[in-house]
Structure formats: C-alpha cells, structure tokens
Amino acid sequence: MRNAVSLLMAGLIGLAASSAYADNLSFTLENQTPNMIVQFYATPADGGTRSELLKKKGLYGGKSRQLTIADGSDACVYKIRAVFENDSFYDVRDEVDFCENDTYTLAD
C-alpha cells in the first residue's frame, strides 16, 4: 500500500512539474543589428506582467541566444521591446506568437 501511495505521489509531482514547464516558451533571439541589445522585454498581448529576458546579459550584434519566457501565463502572443546600448529601442508593431515561432530576428 505504501508503495502504491508513493508511486501515486511521484506521478502527481511529475505531472505538476510538466504542467509548470509547459507554460514556459523558449525561442532563439537573433540580433542581426550592429548594436548590442542590453534589454529585451516580453509582455503578454492581452495584458500581464512584463518580463526582462536577457537578465543583464547583453546580446551583441551578429549573435543569438536561447531565451525563455517563464511568466506563469498560458499566453502565446506577446508584445516585445528591445533596448540597445545607445539607448534607442525597438517596439514590435505586430504581436509575436512564440507558440508558432521558435526564432525571432531583429535586423536593420
């Protein structure tokens, strides 16, 4: 009986962990501009908390990095903002669906 309860608990914990993980969205950010991106924000399109995804690690021009949106929402569509080292910024006019796109490229 104890083994059955232990197996049930282990299964429930595994299910909870995989459900939490399913809420995370991973994508590759490609910086094809000559400037370093110093901040990259994602906000659910329908409202919610804005997340800073680079975590104070800039992304130089010509480089790419895997990023994860782990905001706990089940959103796929986000508004994004990139802030560059020269204090200029880029706001996406169209919303980005990260469930459909696993790469996002910023280019001149």
Side-chain angles (χ1 to χ4, degrees), residues 29 31-40 54 56-63 65 82-89 106:
L29 174 62
N31 182 5
Q32 294 184 0
T33 74
N35 298 309
M36 181 170 68
I37 301 171
V38 293
Q39 295 171 319
F40 189 81
L54 284 176
K56 299 183 181 183
K57 298 177 185 175
L59 182 61
Y60 287 98
K63 301 292 183 180
R65 180 174 305 144
V83 179
F84 294 94
E85 62 187 330
N86 62 1
D87 290 329
S88 65
F89 60 90
L106 286 170

Side-chain angles (χ1 to χ4, degrees), residues 5-38:
V5 171
S6 296
L7 288 173
L8 178 62
M9 291 301 290
L12 291 175
I13 290 169
L15 180 61
S18 66
S19 296
Y21 184 74
D23 292 340
N24 295 342
L25 294 172
S26 293
F27 67 98
T28 301
L29 174 62
E30 295 180 343
N31 182 5
Q32 294 184 0
T33 74
N35 298 309
M36 181 170 68
I37 301 171
V38 293

